[in-house]
Amino acid sequence: MPISETMACQTRQLEASDAAIAAAAACLRDGGLVAFPTETVYGLGADATCTGAIARLYAAKGRPSFNPLIAHVAGVTEARLIGRFDATAERLAAAFWPGPLTLVLPKTADCRVADLATAGLDTVAIRVPAHPITQALLRAVGRPVVAPSANISGHVSPTTAAHVHADLNGRIDLIVDGGPVEVGVESTILGCFGTPVLLRPGGVPSEAIEAVLGTPLARRAPEPAAGDDQPLAPGMLASHYAPRAAVRLEATSVRPDEALLAFGPDALPGAEHATAVMNLSARGDLTEAATHLFGYLRALDAKAARTIAVMPIPHDGLGEAINDRLRRAAAPKD
Ligand code: AMP
Ligand code: MG
């Protein structure tokens, strides 16, 4: 039975407004858990300086506490209070903040982000989101806010308030509904303590970062084997973003009883027999595809498909992040 059905208490949901933002900020400052839109996906916020709130957040998501969280702040001034910026980090922040880029930096000596949020590391992941609701909320809270995606750990990330409700109703205090998100995949994460290294592809394409750095980006170490409990880099779990259905990548035909997640104008052999078909972008636009990715995975899953066949997606631009999420969605779950 889903946990939400065992809970007597419904999570409150408010349409975004000044009053909703004030209520959300008060709840966060009180140690509560609030889901809100960002430009990437819906986040589940908790006061990053409050160990009790962070512990409740890990419990509400069922997220292993060795998987560190991103601290969200309103601007670079607030970011400098918790992370130590070298010249490269300053350049990247100037180029991409506010926006879907997370920088992992050495903690400052008086960093207020709780050790539980950073899994005891001496680095902290920081993002300055661009979404006007997130910006207003962070300014009203006046403290860093950790905000992983507002879903049960390992599930598909939420791009609408309804997705958040489906996963977390009864487990969190408040959902602020600001409509569907714009980017649709999580932030790009860049380790910035020495030579910059791409830890997770995301909403800022690597090519844009390379253009600012003037050099090709180093990639993080290869994936841990499926079934490893302890990932090589914290949080880099092989299975993640996973629907209930099996996911079959690089499909060049549709097999019996499969649903199809299509991309581009071409029809696949066997597509007429698919149990359901959704096209991420019929015109082959990767930005549009990123916006649709998680919602369409959820929708095909809701149609009880046993397997979702996915057409090949180009690897450039946002395609790198889309392929990363699809690879994890397809990875063995245990
Ligand atoms: P999520 O909140 O699910 O979007 O994931 C945030 C990701 O940020 C985690 O999975 C980690 O991989 C990464 N992360 C957060 N803090 C650190 C850190 N200090 N060092 C390396 N990676 C980090
Ligand atoms: Mg997530």
Side-chain angles (χ1 to χ4, degrees):
M1 186 189 301
I3 293 165
S4 57
E5 286 177 33
T6 69
M7 306 281 292
C9 179
Q10 297 275 316
T11 294
R12 203 153 60 107
Q13 186 160 325
L14 297 173
E15 291 289 324
S17 65
D18 289 350
I21 288 166
C27 184
L28 286 169
R29 290 179 65 91
D30 258 8
L33 302 181
V34 179
F36 52 81
T38 78
E39 70 272 29
T40 56
V41 300
Y42 271 71
L44 177 59
D47 178 351
T49 69
C50 173
T51 300
I54 296 162
R56 279 193 291 284
L57 185 149
Y58 277 115
K61 276 182 62 81
R63 177 171 170 127
S65 58
F66 59 73
N67 189 358
L69 302 166
I70 297 170
H72 295 71
V73 291
V76 72
T77 309
E78 291 80 0
R80 289 196 195 102
L81 299 175
I82 57 174
R84 279 193 282 129
F85 284 69
D86 62 10
T88 305
E90 288 287 357
R91 206 138 45 99
L92 291 166
F96 297 109
W97 281 356
L101 176 69
T102 295
L103 297 176
V104 178
L105 303 177
K107 283 178 177 170
T108 55
D110 50 0
C111 176
R112 294 172 72 199
V113 175
D115 281 345
L116 185 57
T118 57
L121 298 166
D122 51 11
T123 51
V124 58
I126 311 174
R127 181 160 101 85
V128 175
H131 196 295
I133 294 171
T134 334
Q135 271 287 327
L137 183 57
L138 290 171
R139 293 199 184 278
V141 174
R143 298 175 193 158
V145 171
V146 287
S149 53
N151 54 277
I152 297 285
S153 187
H155 283 189
V156 179
S157 300
T159 54
T160 66
H163 296 160
V164 179
H165 187 272
D167 262 28
L168 296 176
N169 182 34
R171 305 176 70 107
I172 64 175
D173 299 297
L174 177 64
I175 300 170
V176 178
D177 183 355
V181 301
E182 200 182 305
V183 178
V185 289
E186 294 81 352
S187 60
T188 302
I189 304 182
L190 209 61
C192 227
F193 36 89
T195 307
V197 53
L198 182 70
L199 298 175
R200 176 178 76 184
V204 174
S206 324
E207 295 92 326
I209 296 171
E210 289 171 335
V212 169
L213 294 176
T215 53
L217 256 184
R219 263 52 179 180
R220 73 183 156 82
E223 296 285 316
D228 273 7
D229 282 343
Q230 191 69 34
L232 288 182
M236 302 303 176
L237 300 166
S239 172
H240 213 78
Y241 316 104
R244 275 188 300 268
V247 175
R248 187 169 70 82
L249 303 179
E250 307 288 337
T252 49
S253 67
V254 183
R255 298 174 186 161
D257 295 329
E258 283 186 334
L260 173 63
L261 188 61
F263 176 81
D266 298 336
L268 276 199
E272 63 282 9
H273 303 303
T275 55
V277 180
M278 298 188 88
N279 196 326
L280 289 170
S281 172
R283 58 193 162 93
D285 179 298
L286 289 164
T287 303
E288 181 183 38
T291 308
H292 290 151
L293 176 67
F294 290 132
Y296 285 9
L297 280 174
R298 278 180 184 258
L300 291 176
D301 218 20
K303 293 180 198 289
R306 290 255 289 281
T307 302
I308 301 170
V310 185
M311 282 173 71
I313 314 273
H315 211 69
D316 55 310
L318 288 185
E320 187 178 5
I322 294 170
N323 282 309
D324 171 81
R325 304 307 186 267
L326 285 169
R327 213 173 53 249
R328 291 168 204 267
K333 295 188 182 70
D334 53 359

